[in-house]
Amino acid sequence: MGADAVELSVPAPGGQTRTVRVSSPDRIYFPDIGLTKLDLARYYQSVGEPITRALRARPCMLHRFPKGTTGKKVHQKKLPAGAPDWVETVDVYFPRYSRIVQELCVTEPAAVLWAVQMATVEFHPWNSRRAEPAQPPSLRSPAQPPSLRSPAQPPSLRSPGIERPDEWRIDLDPMPDCDFARVRRVAHLVHEVLDELGITGYPKTSGGHGLHVYVRIEPDYEFTDVRRAAHAFGAEVARRSAGEATVTWWRKDRDPSSVFVDFNQNARDHTMAAAYSVRATPRATVSTPITWDEIDDVEPDDFTVATVPERLGRLGDLHEPIDDVAYRLDTLLEWDDRDTADH
């Protein structure tokens, strides 16, 4: 009989240490590879710093699997009951239900481990952060005209709240008959257009069979604006792709061998798996930061809980610099106005 619980020590703010208790550590979560709940917790412990950076201060939906990944999945927006007082939350208003929900808001690695204790396998954050204290006057940049590229303030000083996204997400979602070679070709077009705009994008695997690219943006736009900009960008990629990419909205109208540039992932309350999040796949794949130079070589199943910690130790967090520069969407919004006028 296995242990009833295992206690894991996790670094905490101020040089302190949290102890997170993992119950039922021997419960099998991934039967194809024999991966247990404790194995999952230890993986998240090993990537605690970078996944906290990816989730920091964002409302986070949890994909929980109380009976393992072959059992029922629970999409959890509301923070599960029983959280210790150091687990932080953010209030999210859902107009459809006229309801405010407290969602997990990760601010330290122990919160990730606590969520794993609550049967979380996947972490799906918003592309906006909760409001933080006002920026001290001495740290503010001088007034300057809007530009495509501007220095990013530290997240804690530049987050007006969850209704103002600070991240634009490019989701390359392959249709059922699309091979990964086509996803790679479309990714190169994404890189090409971003370069022409003077924007740095940070690619990662989805953990499935697609690719994601994240761009840090100034939090001066509403969700509808970011979605419009994302659509205009996707339409430009599609125009250059000779039919390999599409922004066609209705799935039934898409070429089943195309790559859908899913601009709607930038809508309010739409979430994607975070960098370093495990996915509920048979091999326990991980959504993993990669370099643009790796696009032609990576395979969708290369990165798993078994391989990512070593890669992280060797390369570091490839998404760590994402907060160094934030970009404006003015040009893309002009493209959207142009495309709308053309129709």
Side-chain angles (χ1 to χ4, degrees):
M1 181 178 294
D4 291 333
V6 172
E7 291 186 344
L8 299 178
S9 295
V10 188
Q16 303 299 308
T17 300
R18 308 268 193 221
T19 298
V20 179
R21 183 177 182 272
V22 179
S23 62
S24 303
D26 298 328
R27 177 172 293 160
I28 299 294
Y29 269 37
F30 293 82
D32 284 14
I33 56 175
L35 194 83
T36 66
K37 182 179 181 181
L38 181 60
D39 294 330
L40 182 67
R42 284 181 170 152
Y43 162 76
Y44 276 116
Q45 185 180 27
S46 74
V47 299
E49 181 178 337
I51 195 169
T52 298
R53 185 157 44 239
L55 298 172
R56 184 173 297 281
R58 302 186 184 280
C60 186
M61 182 169 70
L62 309 176
H63 288 197
R64 298 174 57 236
F65 294 81
K67 302 297 183 183
T69 55
T70 57
K72 181 180 178 181
K73 175 166 66 173
V74 179
H75 291 87
Q76 185 99 28
K77 294 184 178 181
K78 183 179 179 181
L79 185 76
D85 57 10
W86 45 262
V87 171
E88 298 191 32
T89 61
V90 57
D91 288 344
V92 179
Y93 176 65
F94 292 96
R96 180 179 178 184
Y97 306 105
S98 297
R99 184 181 179 192
I100 293 175
V101 172
Q102 288 190 324
E103 290 199 24
L104 174 67
C105 194
V106 169
T107 57
E108 59 175 287
V112 175
L113 270 292
W114 177 82
V116 174
Q117 157 59 15
M118 301 304 292
T120 299
V121 172
E122 300 186 9
F123 292 82
H124 290 241
W126 283 40
N127 62 336
S128 60
R129 292 181 166 113
R130 70 181 182 186
E132 298 291 348
Q135 180 180 335
S138 61
L139 295 181
R140 293 187 185 131
S141 300
Q144 55 184 346
S147 63
L148 188 66
R149 186 175 190 269
S150 59
Q153 297 295 337
S156 62
L157 301 177
R158 193 69 184 90
S159 181
I162 64 170
E163 301 303 332
R164 296 283 178 169
D166 72 335
E167 193 163 76
W168 160 32
R169 295 171 174 178
I170 304 167
D171 178 15
L172 303 184
D173 182 12
M175 295 297 95
D177 297 337
C178 177
D179 61 19
F180 198 64
R182 179 166 290 191
V183 178
R184 292 190 182 103
R185 290 194 293 272
V186 174
H188 285 306
L189 287 175
V190 167
H191 193 196
E192 175 184 294
V193 179
L194 286 174
D195 276 353
E196 291 176 10
L197 289 167
I199 291 175
T200 298
Y202 290 81
K204 68 181 180 74
T205 63
S206 68
H209 291 87
L211 290 172
H212 300 158
V213 181
Y214 285 2
V215 175
R216 184 66 72 244
I217 60 174
E218 292 283 3
D220 296 333
Y221 307 93
E222 297 181 353
F223 286 102
T224 53
D225 293 324
V226 180
R227 183 179 180 275
R228 283 202 302 123
H231 182 273
F233 180 87
E236 179 63 24
V237 170
R239 276 190 285 268
R240 301 186 188 195
S241 73
E244 293 196 315
T246 183
V247 288
T248 299
W249 176 246
W250 296 109
R251 188 180 183 92
K252 64 181 177 60
D253 295 331
R254 296 177 205 149
D255 181 339
S257 65
S258 66
V259 177
F260 178 44
V261 186
D262 189 356
F263 57 93
N264 206 48
Q265 291 291 7
N266 295 280
R268 187 183 190 272
D269 190 34
H270 283 227
T271 61
M272 294 164 60
Y276 302 101
S277 174
V278 180
R279 305 305 304 274
T281 59
R283 296 186 63 245
T285 52
V286 173
S287 183
T288 305
I290 57 176
T291 67
W292 288 109
D293 290 340
E294 291 180 292
I295 294 289
D296 287 333
D297 299 320
V298 297
E299 296 292 340
D301 291 341
D302 280 349
F303 307 114
T304 70
V305 291
T307 64
V308 167
E310 184 278 333
R311 174 183 169 86
L312 177 63
R314 178 165 41 89
L315 300 178
D317 178 13
L318 297 177
H319 280 198
E320 184 172 1
I322 194 171
D323 280 318
D324 290 351
V325 177
Y327 299 88
R328 297 194 61 80
L329 299 177
D330 302 12
T331 298
L332 291 172
L333 292 172
E334 290 172 5
W335 288 6
D336 182 71
D337 291 339
R338 174 204 65 194
D339 293 346
T340 302
D342 289 345
H343 289 82

